[in-house]
PDB file of all heavy atoms in Angstrom:
ATOM      1  N   VAL G  61      -4.725  12.278  17.591  1.00  0.00           N
ATOM      2  CA  VAL G  61      -5.870  11.417  17.887  1.00  0.00           C
ATOM      3  C   VAL G  61      -7.055  12.250  18.371  1.00  0.00           C
ATOM      4  O   VAL G  61      -6.923  13.069  19.275  1.00  0.00           O
ATOM      5  CB  VAL G  61      -5.484  10.377  18.963  1.00  0.00           C
ATOM      6  CG1 VAL G  61      -6.695   9.526  19.345  1.00  0.00           C
ATOM      7  CG2 VAL G  61      -4.344   9.493  18.463  1.00  0.00           C
ATOM      8  N   LEU G  62      -8.190  12.083  17.726  1.00  0.00           N
ATOM      9  CA  LEU G  62      -9.396  12.814  18.128  1.00  0.00           C
ATOM     10  C   LEU G  62     -10.451  11.810  18.581  1.00  0.00           C
ATOM     11  O   LEU G  62     -11.041  11.106  17.758  1.00  0.00           O
ATOM     12  CB  LEU G  62      -9.922  13.647  16.954  1.00  0.00           C
ATOM     13  CG  LEU G  62      -8.971  14.704  16.394  1.00  0.00           C
ATOM     14  CD1 LEU G  62      -9.613  15.441  15.216  1.00  0.00           C
ATOM     15  CD2 LEU G  62      -8.580  15.714  17.480  1.00  0.00           C
ATOM     16  N   LYS G  63     -10.663  11.768  19.886  1.00  0.00           N
ATOM     17  CA  LYS G  63     -11.661  10.847  20.446  1.00  0.00           C
ATOM     18  C   LYS G  63     -13.017  11.544  20.556  1.00  0.00           C
ATOM     19  O   LYS G  63     -13.088  12.706  20.894  1.00  0.00           O
ATOM     20  CB  LYS G  63     -11.268  10.426  21.871  1.00  0.00           C
ATOM     21  CG  LYS G  63     -10.071   9.527  21.951  1.00  0.00           C
ATOM     22  CD  LYS G  63      -9.930   8.901  23.351  1.00  0.00           C
ATOM     23  CE  LYS G  63      -8.628   8.095  23.397  1.00  0.00           C
ATOM     24  NZ  LYS G  63      -8.476   7.274  24.576  1.00  0.00           N
ATOM     25  N   SER G  64     -14.065  10.808  20.297  1.00  0.00           N
ATOM     26  CA  SER G  64     -15.387  11.350  20.601  1.00  0.00           C
ATOM     27  C   SER G  64     -16.269  10.207  21.088  1.00  0.00           C
ATOM     28  O   SER G  64     -15.993   9.036  20.839  1.00  0.00           O
ATOM     29  CB  SER G  64     -16.006  12.043  19.382  1.00  0.00           C
ATOM     30  OG  SER G  64     -15.919  11.231  18.231  1.00  0.00           O
ATOM     31  N   GLY G  65     -17.311  10.544  21.795  1.00  0.00           N
ATOM     32  CA  GLY G  65     -18.135   9.517  22.453  1.00  0.00           C
ATOM     33  C   GLY G  65     -19.105   8.845  21.496  1.00  0.00           C
ATOM     34  O   GLY G  65     -19.301   9.291  20.355  1.00  0.00           O
ATOM     35  N   MET G  66     -19.707   7.762  21.957  1.00  0.00           N
ATOM     36  CA  MET G  66     -20.797   7.106  21.229  1.00  0.00           C
ATOM     37  C   MET G  66     -21.911   8.124  20.988  1.00  0.00           C
ATOM     38  O   MET G  66     -22.163   8.985  21.818  1.00  0.00           O
ATOM     39  CB  MET G  66     -21.378   5.954  22.071  1.00  0.00           C
ATOM     40  CG  MET G  66     -20.528   4.717  22.156  1.00  0.00           C
ATOM     41  SD  MET G  66     -20.680   3.691  20.670  1.00  0.00           S
ATOM     42  CE  MET G  66     -22.258   2.868  21.030  1.00  0.00           C
ATOM     43  N   GLY G  67     -22.560   8.009  19.857  1.00  0.00           N
ATOM     44  CA  GLY G  67     -23.664   8.919  19.576  1.00  0.00           C
ATOM     45  C   GLY G  67     -23.196  10.206  18.892  1.00  0.00           C
ATOM     46  O   GLY G  67     -23.995  11.041  18.497  1.00  0.00           O
ATOM     47  N   ARG G  68     -21.868  10.365  18.731  1.00  0.00           N
ATOM     48  CA  ARG G  68     -21.344  11.569  18.069  1.00  0.00           C
ATOM     49  C   ARG G  68     -20.889  11.233  16.657  1.00  0.00           C
ATOM     50  O   ARG G  68     -19.982  11.868  16.119  1.00  0.00           O
ATOM     51  CB  ARG G  68     -20.157  12.154  18.864  1.00  0.00           C
ATOM     52  CG  ARG G  68     -20.385  12.338  20.343  1.00  0.00           C
ATOM     53  CD  ARG G  68     -21.416  13.396  20.644  1.00  0.00           C
ATOM     54  NE  ARG G  68     -20.991  14.709  20.147  1.00  0.00           N
ATOM     55  CZ  ARG G  68     -21.763  15.788  20.127  1.00  0.00           C
ATOM     56  NH1 ARG G  68     -23.019  15.694  20.511  1.00  0.00           N
ATOM     57  NH2 ARG G  68     -21.305  16.942  19.688  1.00  0.00           N
ATOM     58  N   GLU G  69     -21.520  10.245  16.047  1.00  0.00           N
ATOM     59  CA  GLU G  69     -21.048   9.753  14.749  1.00  0.00           C
ATOM     60  C   GLU G  69     -21.096  10.823  13.661  1.00  0.00           C
ATOM     61  O   GLU G  69     -20.198  10.920  12.829  1.00  0.00           O
ATOM     62  CB  GLU G  69     -21.872   8.532  14.298  1.00  0.00           C
ATOM     63  CG  GLU G  69     -21.637   7.269  15.098  1.00  0.00           C
ATOM     64  CD  GLU G  69     -22.450   7.220  16.393  1.00  0.00           C
ATOM     65  OE1 GLU G  69     -23.306   8.114  16.578  1.00  0.00           O
ATOM     66  OE2 GLU G  69     -22.211   6.308  17.199  1.00  0.00           O
ATOM     67  N   VAL G  70     -22.167  11.622  13.646  1.00  0.00           N
ATOM     68  CA  VAL G  70     -22.295  12.623  12.588  1.00  0.00           C
ATOM     69  C   VAL G  70     -21.208  13.682  12.724  1.00  0.00           C
ATOM     70  O   VAL G  70     -20.539  14.039  11.748  1.00  0.00           O
ATOM     71  CB  VAL G  70     -23.706  13.261  12.600  1.00  0.00           C
ATOM     72  CG1 VAL G  70     -23.794  14.359  11.551  1.00  0.00           C
ATOM     73  CG2 VAL G  70     -24.781  12.202  12.347  1.00  0.00           C
ATOM     74  N   ASP G  71     -20.978  14.159  13.955  1.00  0.00           N
ATOM     75  CA  ASP G  71     -19.917  15.148  14.187  1.00  0.00           C
ATOM     76  C   ASP G  71     -18.557  14.579  13.788  1.00  0.00           C
ATOM     77  O   ASP G  71     -17.729  15.252  13.180  1.00  0.00           O
ATOM     78  CB  ASP G  71     -19.850  15.531  15.674  1.00  0.00           C
ATOM     79  CG  ASP G  71     -21.083  16.317  16.100  1.00  0.00           C
ATOM     80  OD1 ASP G  71     -21.787  16.836  15.206  1.00  0.00           O
ATOM     81  OD2 ASP G  71     -21.341  16.387  17.314  1.00  0.00           O
ATOM     82  N   ARG G  72     -18.337  13.334  14.150  1.00  0.00           N
ATOM     83  CA  ARG G  72     -17.049  12.693  13.879  1.00  0.00           C
ATOM     84  C   ARG G  72     -16.825  12.563  12.375  1.00  0.00           C
ATOM     85  O   ARG G  72     -15.741  12.843  11.863  1.00  0.00           O
ATOM     86  CB  ARG G  72     -17.009  11.315  14.555  1.00  0.00           C
ATOM     87  CG  ARG G  72     -15.616  10.753  14.726  1.00  0.00           C
ATOM     88  CD  ARG G  72     -15.668   9.345  15.307  1.00  0.00           C
ATOM     89  NE  ARG G  72     -16.453   9.284  16.519  1.00  0.00           N
ATOM     90  CZ  ARG G  72     -17.333   8.319  16.797  1.00  0.00           C
ATOM     91  NH1 ARG G  72     -17.516   7.318  15.958  1.00  0.00           N
ATOM     92  NH2 ARG G  72     -18.024   8.347  17.917  1.00  0.00           N
ATOM     93  N   ALA G  73     -17.871  12.153  11.664  1.00  0.00           N
ATOM     94  CA  ALA G  73     -17.765  12.016  10.212  1.00  0.00           C
ATOM     95  C   ALA G  73     -17.485  13.377   9.568  1.00  0.00           C
ATOM     96  O   ALA G  73     -16.657  13.488   8.658  1.00  0.00           O
ATOM     97  CB  ALA G  73     -19.065  11.429   9.653  1.00  0.00           C
ATOM     98  N   ARG G  74     -18.174  14.410  10.059  1.00  0.00           N
ATOM     99  CA  ARG G  74     -17.992  15.755   9.501  1.00  0.00           C
ATOM    100  C   ARG G  74     -16.564  16.240   9.718  1.00  0.00           C
ATOM    101  O   ARG G  74     -15.932  16.782   8.818  1.00  0.00           O
ATOM    102  CB  ARG G  74     -18.999  16.691  10.197  1.00  0.00           C
ATOM    103  CG  ARG G  74     -19.453  17.830   9.335  1.00  0.00           C
ATOM    104  CD  ARG G  74     -20.318  18.775  10.115  1.00  0.00           C
ATOM    105  NE  ARG G  74     -21.739  18.493  10.058  1.00  0.00           N
ATOM    106  CZ  ARG G  74     -22.537  18.398  11.116  1.00  0.00           C
ATOM    107  NH1 ARG G  74     -22.045  18.502  12.345  1.00  0.00           N
ATOM    108  NH2 ARG G  74     -23.823  18.192  10.961  1.00  0.00           N
ATOM    109  N   GLU G  75     -16.049  15.993  10.919  1.00  0.00           N
ATOM    110  CA  GLU G  75     -14.680  16.409  11.247  1.00  0.00           C
ATOM    111  C   GLU G  75     -13.666  15.652  10.379  1.00  0.00           C
ATOM    112  O   GLU G  75     -12.698  16.232   9.889  1.00  0.00           O
ATOM    113  CB  GLU G  75     -14.426  16.128  12.743  1.00  0.00           C
ATOM    114  CG  GLU G  75     -13.074  16.552  13.273  1.00  0.00           C
ATOM    115  CD  GLU G  75     -12.923  18.064  13.413  1.00  0.00           C
ATOM    116  OE1 GLU G  75     -13.861  18.785  13.003  1.00  0.00           O
ATOM    117  OE2 GLU G  75     -11.872  18.505  13.912  1.00  0.00           O
ATOM    118  N   ALA G  76     -13.913  14.387  10.180  1.00  0.00           N
ATOM    119  CA  ALA G  76     -12.997  13.573   9.365  1.00  0.00           C
ATOM    120  C   ALA G  76     -12.974  14.083   7.926  1.00  0.00           C
ATOM    121  O   ALA G  76     -11.909  14.193   7.310  1.00  0.00           O
ATOM    122  CB  ALA G  76     -13.416  12.105   9.400  1.00  0.00           C
ATOM    123  N   VAL G  77     -14.146  14.391   7.378  1.00  0.00           N
ATOM    124  CA  VAL G  77     -14.223  14.893   6.001  1.00  0.00           C
ATOM    125  C   VAL G  77     -13.512  16.242   5.903  1.00  0.00           C
ATOM    126  O   VAL G  77     -12.765  16.506   4.963  1.00  0.00           O
ATOM    127  CB  VAL G  77     -15.699  14.999   5.546  1.00  0.00           C
ATOM    128  CG1 VAL G  77     -15.827  15.776   4.239  1.00  0.00           C
ATOM    129  CG2 VAL G  77     -16.316  13.600   5.415  1.00  0.00           C
ATOM    130  N   ARG G  78     -13.706  17.087   6.910  1.00  0.00           N
ATOM    131  CA  ARG G  78     -13.086  18.412   6.904  1.00  0.00           C
ATOM    132  C   ARG G  78     -11.549  18.288   6.934  1.00  0.00           C
ATOM    133  O   ARG G  78     -10.847  18.878   6.116  1.00  0.00           O
ATOM    134  CB  ARG G  78     -13.578  19.199   8.127  1.00  0.00           C
ATOM    135  CG  ARG G  78     -13.286  20.708   8.089  1.00  0.00           C
ATOM    136  CD  ARG G  78     -13.724  21.408   9.372  1.00  0.00           C
ATOM    137  NE  ARG G  78     -13.011  20.939  10.565  1.00  0.00           N
ATOM    138  CZ  ARG G  78     -11.759  21.290  10.871  1.00  0.00           C
ATOM    139  NH1 ARG G  78     -11.081  22.120  10.092  1.00  0.00           N
ATOM    140  NH2 ARG G  78     -11.173  20.812  11.960  1.00  0.00           N
ATOM    141  N   LEU G  79     -11.049  17.491   7.873  1.00  0.00           N
ATOM    142  CA  LEU G  79      -9.597  17.341   8.027  1.00  0.00           C
ATOM    143  C   LEU G  79      -8.951  16.729   6.789  1.00  0.00           C
ATOM    144  O   LEU G  79      -7.801  17.016   6.460  1.00  0.00           O
ATOM    145  CB  LEU G  79      -9.281  16.456   9.235  1.00  0.00           C
ATOM    146  CG  LEU G  79      -9.503  17.070  10.613  1.00  0.00           C
ATOM    147  CD1 LEU G  79      -9.433  15.987  11.695  1.00  0.00           C
ATOM    148  CD2 LEU G  79      -8.456  18.164  10.882  1.00  0.00           C
ATOM    149  N   SER G  80      -9.699  15.886   6.092  1.00  0.00           N
ATOM    150  CA  SER G  80      -9.095  15.139   4.986  1.00  0.00           C
ATOM    151  C   SER G  80      -8.956  15.987   3.719  1.00  0.00           C
ATOM    152  O   SER G  80      -8.463  15.499   2.707  1.00  0.00           O
ATOM    153  CB  SER G  80      -9.898  13.865   4.714  1.00  0.00           C
ATOM    154  OG  SER G  80     -11.211  14.194   4.332  1.00  0.00           O
ATOM    155  N   ARG G  81      -9.366  17.256   3.779  1.00  0.00           N
ATOM    156  CA  ARG G  81      -9.079  18.148   2.642  1.00  0.00           C
ATOM    157  C   ARG G  81      -7.576  18.305   2.447  1.00  0.00           C
ATOM    158  O   ARG G  81      -7.086  18.378   1.328  1.00  0.00           O
ATOM    159  CB  ARG G  81      -9.690  19.536   2.903  1.00  0.00           C
ATOM    160  CG  ARG G  81     -11.136  19.624   2.478  1.00  0.00           C
ATOM    161  CD  ARG G  81     -11.676  21.037   2.725  1.00  0.00           C
ATOM    162  NE  ARG G  81     -12.976  20.974   3.377  1.00  0.00           N
ATOM    163  CZ  ARG G  81     -13.435  21.848   4.270  1.00  0.00           C
ATOM    164  NH1 ARG G  81     -12.688  22.858   4.660  1.00  0.00           N
ATOM    165  NH2 ARG G  81     -14.635  21.691   4.788  1.00  0.00           N
ATOM    166  N   ASP G  82      -6.854  18.367   3.569  1.00  0.00           N
ATOM    167  CA  ASP G  82      -5.415  18.639   3.492  1.00  0.00           C
ATOM    168  C   ASP G  82      -4.543  17.565   4.122  1.00  0.00           C
ATOM    169  O   ASP G  82      -3.326  17.696   4.128  1.00  0.00           O
ATOM    170  CB  ASP G  82      -5.097  19.964   4.217  1.00  0.00           C
ATOM    171  CG  ASP G  82      -5.906  21.113   3.675  1.00  0.00           C
ATOM    172  OD1 ASP G  82      -5.782  21.389   2.463  1.00  0.00           O
ATOM    173  OD2 ASP G  82      -6.692  21.703   4.430  1.00  0.00           O
ATOM    174  N   SER G  83      -5.157  16.535   4.681  1.00  0.00           N
ATOM    175  CA  SER G  83      -4.359  15.552   5.424  1.00  0.00           C
ATOM    176  C   SER G  83      -4.833  14.137   5.133  1.00  0.00           C
ATOM    177  O   SER G  83      -5.933  13.934   4.631  1.00  0.00           O
ATOM    178  CB  SER G  83      -4.504  15.790   6.936  1.00  0.00           C
ATOM    179  OG  SER G  83      -4.228  17.131   7.257  1.00  0.00           O
ATOM    180  N   VAL G  84      -3.983  13.190   5.484  1.00  0.00           N
ATOM    181  CA  VAL G  84      -4.391  11.791   5.424  1.00  0.00           C
ATOM    182  C   VAL G  84      -5.009  11.442   6.778  1.00  0.00           C
ATOM    183  O   VAL G  84      -4.377  11.597   7.821  1.00  0.00           O
ATOM    184  CB  VAL G  84      -3.192  10.872   5.105  1.00  0.00           C
ATOM    185  CG1 VAL G  84      -3.649   9.420   5.064  1.00  0.00           C
ATOM    186  CG2 VAL G  84      -2.559  11.272   3.776  1.00  0.00           C
ATOM    187  N   VAL G  85      -6.248  11.019   6.724  1.00  0.00           N
ATOM    188  CA  VAL G  85      -7.051  10.850   7.937  1.00  0.00           C
ATOM    189  C   VAL G  85      -7.619   9.433   7.988  1.00  0.00           C
ATOM    190  O   VAL G  85      -8.113   8.921   6.979  1.00  0.00           O
ATOM    191  CB  VAL G  85      -8.224  11.861   7.941  1.00  0.00           C
ATOM    192  CG1 VAL G  85      -9.131  11.655   9.159  1.00  0.00           C
ATOM    193  CG2 VAL G  85      -7.709  13.292   7.883  1.00  0.00           C
ATOM    194  N   ALA G  86      -7.552   8.801   9.151  1.00  0.00           N
ATOM    195  CA  ALA G  86      -8.236   7.515   9.345  1.00  0.00           C
ATOM    196  C   ALA G  86      -9.355   7.700  10.355  1.00  0.00           C
ATOM    197  O   ALA G  86      -9.159   8.316  11.396  1.00  0.00           O
ATOM    198  CB  ALA G  86      -7.258   6.462   9.854  1.00  0.00           C
ATOM    199  N   ILE G  87     -10.525   7.213  10.021  1.00  0.00           N
ATOM    200  CA  ILE G  87     -11.611   7.173  10.994  1.00  0.00           C
ATOM    201  C   ILE G  87     -11.885   5.698  11.261  1.00  0.00           C
ATOM    202  O   ILE G  87     -12.124   4.921  10.331  1.00  0.00           O
ATOM    203  CB  ILE G  87     -12.840   7.973  10.502  1.00  0.00           C
ATOM    204  CG1 ILE G  87     -13.945   8.009  11.568  1.00  0.00           C
ATOM    205  CG2 ILE G  87     -13.401   7.463   9.181  1.00  0.00           C
ATOM    206  CD1 ILE G  87     -14.987   9.115  11.289  1.00  0.00           C
ATOM    207  N   VAL G  88     -11.744   5.283  12.520  1.00  0.00           N
ATOM    208  CA  VAL G  88     -11.865   3.861  12.830  1.00  0.00           C
ATOM    209  C   VAL G  88     -13.289   3.516  13.240  1.00  0.00           C
ATOM    210  O   VAL G  88     -14.050   4.356  13.718  1.00  0.00           O
ATOM    211  CB  VAL G  88     -10.869   3.405  13.932  1.00  0.00           C
ATOM    212  CG1 VAL G  88      -9.435   3.652  13.502  1.00  0.00           C
ATOM    213  CG2 VAL G  88     -11.172   4.065  15.260  1.00  0.00           C
ATOM    214  N   SER G  89     -13.645   2.277  13.031  1.00  0.00           N
ATOM    215  CA  SER G  89     -15.010   1.810  13.231  1.00  0.00           C
ATOM    216  C   SER G  89     -14.906   0.355  13.675  1.00  0.00           C
ATOM    217  O   SER G  89     -14.172  -0.424  13.060  1.00  0.00           O
ATOM    218  CB  SER G  89     -15.720   1.948  11.880  1.00  0.00           C
ATOM    219  OG  SER G  89     -17.097   1.692  11.957  1.00  0.00           O
ATOM    220  N   GLY G  90     -15.581  -0.012  14.731  1.00  0.00           N
ATOM    221  CA  GLY G  90     -15.507  -1.388  15.220  1.00  0.00           C
ATOM    222  C   GLY G  90     -16.078  -2.368  14.198  1.00  0.00           C
ATOM    223  O   GLY G  90     -16.933  -2.015  13.393  1.00  0.00           O
TER     224      GLY G  90
END
Side-chain angles (χ1 to χ4, degrees):
Chain G
V61 177
L62 300 179
K63 290 193 185 190
S64 49
M66 286 281 281
R68 311 293 298 172
E69 290 83 8
V70 177
D71 292 342
R72 198 184 307 137
R74 210 186 269 130
E75 183 72 355
V77 168
R78 194 184 63 76
L79 287 168
S80 62
R81 274 182 226 146
D82 304 301
S83 308
V84 179
V85 177
I87 184 163
V88 300
S89 188

